[in-house]
Amino acid sequence: MKLTSEKLPKNPFSVSQHAAKDQKVFQWRKEKTDHYKHADLVEKALQLLKERIRRGDTLAYFLRGQLYFEEGWYEEALQQFEDIKEKDHQALYQLGVMYYDGLGTTADAEKGVSYMKKIIDSPCPKARHLQFAAAYNLGRAYYEGKGVTRSDEEAERLWLFAADNGNPKASVKAQSILGLYYSTKEPKELEKAFYWHSEACGNGNLESQGALGLMYFYGQGIRQDTEAALHCLREAAERGNVYAQGNLVEYYYKMKFFTKCVAFSKRIADYDEVHDIPMIAQVTDCLPEFINRGMAMASFYHARCLQLGLGITKDEATAKQYYSKACRLNPAVADELYSLLIRQRI
């Protein structure tokens, strides 16, 4: 399970807040005209920040670096954050993320870890809002064994600190990752997994909302409840959770709602895996691994409908293309579904 870094938390001491993430997944598909308007806005913002810097506004230095970061201009962002890291904890945090993930520079996990530790150990009140997120990131480093000696125990300890008993102002990402961790470790601790996914979902986490749907569906860590499962999966799917969408495709197929299955699966199966997966992950904050699985499931079931002419005109040549895409996206998922096909279970 490859994890992603925690995004910069909101700062209660500044006006530099990010736009809400709860947007439709298709909003990032912009027309060229919108792109040019966006470019004009970015240029205008940079001019305003330049003027604020000229007037001695210290916060403007960070805001300019953050604008560079959000636009994907990582080399410029790195330089801006380096210039102010001794005076700005948010810049230090972003540098930790950038060095760990290799954004705008060669990846240096040890340097990224050291910056996160500085945030956690800082007595400064202005670093407090960053400490839960830094603990999540440090837990990720221990889980992956990058920059530190690998230790599931230390990762779990740090994530529990970062999750802060479900505090919505702590790391909601840590709460969700604890749900995934307890459901995948050996032996599994499914009741703990359900608890943490519930906490994260209650705090708005989209990944955990989809996970809860599956736990209700299969009775994992909780009594089986198909109605609750479908409620969670449909809401998560509507908000852009591709793994929830893929599982709904499977449900529609098994319930013989073939027309609905075809229409729903085609939208997901037609995503471009190279460009769309990272963009969807950025918008939804869901793990790319599960986005990949959802797309593979949708591609396979769409292919099956085309192969048999279920809810759509039979087209074996196009079916082969979607089968191939499912195998390319996620061979393990495709192999599992193919085994069900061989046993005439689907």
Side-chain angles (χ1 to χ4, degrees), residues 43-57 60-61 64 67-68:
E43 182 58 32
K44 179 67 174 175
L46 287 172
Q47 291 300 321
L48 290 171
L49 289 170
K50 184 177 180 180
E51 177 59 23
R52 286 174 61 175
I53 288 170
R54 189 188 66 78
R55 296 200 307 264
D57 184 346
Y61 287 98
R64 184 165 66 179
L67 180 58
Y68 290 149

Side-chain angles (χ1 to χ4, degrees), residues 30-44 71 73:
K30 296 180 182 292
E31 299 294 335
K32 286 185 179 180
T33 52
D34 288 335
H35 169 75
Y36 293 131
K37 290 177 183 177
H38 177 73
D40 289 344
L41 288 172
V42 171
E43 182 58 32
K44 179 67 174 175
E71 290 300 307
W73 303 340

Side-chain angles (χ1 to χ4, degrees), residues 86-298:
E86 301 301 330
K87 300 177 182 178
D88 193 305
H89 291 92
Q90 293 189 116
L92 189 66
Y93 180 91
Q94 290 294 62
L95 285 172
V97 169
M98 296 179 78
Y99 280 114
Y100 190 90
D101 289 334
L103 301 175
T105 183
T106 303
D108 186 340
E110 289 186 6
K111 197 168 186 177
V113 163
S114 71
Y115 284 171
M116 290 302 164
K117 285 181 176 178
K118 284 183 179 179
I119 294 290
I120 294 170
D121 295 337
S122 174
C124 180
K126 290 186 178 180
R128 256 179 228 149
H129 73 289
L130 301 168
Q131 288 174 332
F132 290 128
Y136 161 79
N137 287 330
L138 190 55
R140 175 196 173 191
Y142 276 103
Y143 181 78
E144 295 176 339
K146 291 171 60 177
V148 289
T149 303
R150 191 183 187 286
S151 170
D152 284 352
E153 293 76 15
E154 187 63 9
E156 181 183 4
R157 184 189 72 79
L158 284 159
W159 287 338
L160 286 169
F161 168 78
D164 195 33
N165 296 315
N167 177 1
K169 294 182 180 179
S171 173
V172 177
K173 194 176 185 76
Q175 296 162 14
S176 180
I177 291 301
L178 281 167
L180 288 172
Y181 172 72
Y182 287 125
S183 62
T184 55
K185 71 188 287 280
E186 292 296 339
K188 293 179 173 64
E189 297 183 67
L190 294 176
E191 289 185 1
K192 285 186 179 180
F194 182 83
Y195 169 80
W196 282 112
H197 277 312
S198 297
E199 293 297 303
C201 179
N203 291 327
N205 185 273
L206 179 55
E207 189 112 68
S208 282
Q209 187 174 34
L212 277 181
L214 292 175
M215 296 188 84
Y216 274 120
F217 201 86
Y218 295 106
Q220 297 176 334
I222 189 68
R223 179 179 56 83
Q224 187 175 22
D225 186 335
T226 303
E227 185 178 347
L230 291 173
H231 175 76
C232 286
L233 287 173
R234 284 169 177 153
E235 280 205 353
E238 177 66 23
R239 293 175 61 203
N241 184 320
V242 177
Y243 191 45
Q245 293 169 0
N247 278 278
L248 280 175
V249 166
E250 182 172 67
Y251 172 77
Y252 294 144
Y253 182 91
K254 289 181 176 179
M255 295 299 292
K256 303 186 187 307
F257 302 153
F258 296 123
T259 302
K260 196 167 189 177
C261 177
V262 167
F264 201 46
S265 63
K266 187 172 189 337
R267 286 205 320 252
I268 308 157
D270 284 347
Y271 285 139
D272 176 74
E273 60 262 42
V274 175
H275 300 101
D276 290 354
I277 289 178
M279 191 62 74
I280 293 169
Q282 182 180 7
V283 170
T284 64
D285 203 24
C286 291
L287 293 174
E289 176 183 339
F290 289 96
I291 297 170
N292 175 291
R293 288 186 196 182
M295 287 172 62
M297 291 174 72

